[in-house]
Amino acid sequence: MPEQIYWENIEVGVEIKPLAKVSTTQMLVKWAGASGDFNPLHYDTAFAESVGVGKPIVHGALKRQWLIQLVTNWMGERGTLEKFSCQYRAMDYPRQMKTMTAPQEGETWWCKGEVTKKYTEGNQHFVDCNIRVENGKGEVTTSGRATVIIPTKS
Amino acid sequence: MLPEEIKNLIGRSTPTKTCEVEKGAIRRFANAVDDPNPLYCDEVYAQKSRYGSIIAPPGFFGWPKEQDRNSAITIDTPPALITALEQAGYPLSSVVDGGIEYEFFLPIRAGDVLTAKTTVLNIRERAGSSMNLVFIILETVYANQNSSRVATAQVTAIFRSINPQEKERTNA
């Protein structure tokens, strides 16, 4: 785990350390098995065409989980995720596999965010963030918000 | 216009599901995300943490005991709603995930047994440029074996009216 972040050191506008992700057809298979989402929309080209998305798309819930990883990594072990939301705004298409384990050249996605608010309620210290997934062209395909409790130094 | 019988399903709930949170399933989930956080996979590390045991990543609620073997999707909806939407021109095969809102109250630990109950909060139709859309808001409340609420999730499921012309154009 990265070093613990403290409330005193956070300012509004501060960037959350970005997280790079490469979605591959293999990753989508793993996600399907681990999440129980077996919709052929995510692995069958003819089906994806027939329902009007062109070709298999990355699961929204996988992008959600990338953003949860972005926030939980940043807040550290003593931070607590209280609220999280995201909306899927555009389709993403996975890279295909070049070898058994390595993807072909292509797009890299970046999970990013920044602090929008810092406040206390009772004796708890909260931080609100805006978060997003950007595709290889820098377009936002998923956006959302998170509220976390951050520990204080004292 | 959506038939009244569909609107009437607002407030309808699904039967309660039981979900077991197994550490192997947690590991598989974290691995699928490529999230190496040791709280999800390293027992010794997790024991020394403030949680005292392996926890599930936020967003993982175990695996349902009553998993429908034929189900292709993870969203839980009253079957009557799926049937009614199908008849109104919104087949299940058209569904896409619109987004989610979570609220987390307590950590979920390996070994927990959760109950999940889903209620239809809202249904609304919107005309799009090439097709009509129906937005279904579903709220799931998760409680643990001590009957403590651990999380709520509000999912937006979007059903699309894929008309025959549209289909032909896409296939061409």
Side-chain angles (χ1 to χ4, degrees):
Chain A
M1 285 294 281
E3 213 174 298
Q4 183 59 52
I5 195 165
Y6 291 98
W7 201 72
E8 289 86 343
N9 298 345
I10 295 172
E11 281 168 51
V12 170
V14 128
E15 195 192 37
I16 293 174
K17 190 178 179 253
L19 173 70
K21 287 287 181 184
V22 173
S23 122
T24 64
T25 49
Q26 187 171 63
M27 200 175 194
L28 266 49
V29 171
K30 284 169 86 172
W31 175 256
S35 69
D37 184 341
F38 304 126
N39 191 337
L41 178 61
H42 305 292
Y43 54 83
D44 188 312
T45 305
F47 182 87
E49 272 177 16
S50 77
V51 296
V53 299
K55 53 185 178 175
I57 57 169
V58 178
H59 301 75
L62 178 57
K63 296 189 278 180
R64 170 198 84 204
Q65 221 51 46
W66 290 353
L67 288 175
I68 288 179
Q69 183 184 355
L70 171 81
V71 176
T72 50
N73 257 358
W74 176 73
M75 73 185 189
E77 201 173 301
R78 290 177 54 208
T80 305
L81 181 59
E82 284 271 302
K83 287 182 191 169
F84 174 93
S85 65
C86 66
Q87 290 82 42
Y88 312 118
R89 304 197 173 279
M91 313 275 182
D92 288 294
Y93 301 95
R95 284 200 214 172
Q96 293 193 302
M97 301 303 291
K98 186 178 175 187
T99 68
M100 291 276 281
T101 52
Q104 289 181 358
E105 292 299 307
E107 208 170 350
T108 297
W109 287 259
W110 282 93
C111 304
K112 297 178 179 176
E114 58 275 317
V115 172
T116 55
K117 198 178 166 191
K118 188 182 162 182
Y119 54 102
T120 55
E121 270 174 30
N123 49 16
Q124 287 182 316
H125 296 72
F126 290 89
V127 169
D128 289 350
C129 315
N130 280 345
I131 48 180
R132 63 190 182 276
V133 176
E134 290 180 9
N135 67 15
K137 292 180 197 150
E139 298 159 341
V140 175
T141 62
T142 302
S143 63
R145 290 170 178 206
T147 299
V148 294
I149 300 177
I150 300 282
T152 55
K153 282 180 180 169
S154 49
Chain B
M1 271 279 286
L2 275 182
E4 208 47 35
E5 58 172 48
I6 293 185
K7 287 286 207 177
N8 288 343
L9 292 168
I10 295 174
R12 179 76 66 98
S13 296
T14 59
T16 302
K17 270 190 185 176
T18 306
C19 303
E20 291 171 315
V21 184
E22 295 163 311
K23 59 185 176 190
I26 291 176
R27 210 160 47 232
R28 188 172 54 187
F29 186 93
N31 183 259
V33 181
D34 197 15
D35 184 345
N37 193 325
L39 291 172
Y40 310 145
C41 58
D42 184 334
E43 210 134 8
V44 176
Y45 184 95
Q47 268 165 16
K48 288 183 196 151
S49 77
R50 67 171 167 131
Y51 297 106
S53 69
I54 297 239
I55 57 165
F60 185 66
F61 300 99
W63 199 263
K65 277 175 101 171
E66 308 89 351
Q67 175 79 3
D68 177 356
R69 282 163 199 247
N70 294 315
S71 173
I73 55 170
T74 49
I75 56 163
D76 205 15
T77 41
L81 179 58
I82 301 294
T83 310
L85 282 169
E86 187 106 39
Q87 281 162 2
Y90 295 97
L92 181 60
S93 60
S94 76
V95 75
V96 289
D97 194 347
I100 199 156
E101 259 185 75
Y102 282 127
E103 226 178 309
F104 300 106
F105 305 107
L106 285 172
I108 296 171
R109 296 190 159 78
D112 279 357
V113 179
L114 307 181
T115 52
K117 194 170 184 66
T118 301
T119 305
V120 180
L121 283 195
N122 199 12
I123 301 173
R124 63 191 165 85
E125 194 177 34
R126 201 173 79 189
S129 50
S130 62
M131 57 179 81
N132 293 338
L133 306 170
V134 176
F135 291 76
I136 313 276
I137 315 284
L138 297 155
E139 183 182 63
T140 304
V141 177
Y142 296 93
N144 66 16
Q145 61 279 9
N146 307 318
S147 304
S148 301
R149 181 181 283 216
V150 291
T152 56
Q154 271 188 31
V155 171
T156 304
I158 305 170
F159 285 74
R160 301 167 301 144
S161 63
I162 307 171
N163 62 48
Q165 293 95 321
E166 179 70 25
K167 245 185 183 170
E168 274 163 34
R169 203 150 18 102
T170 329
N171 284 342

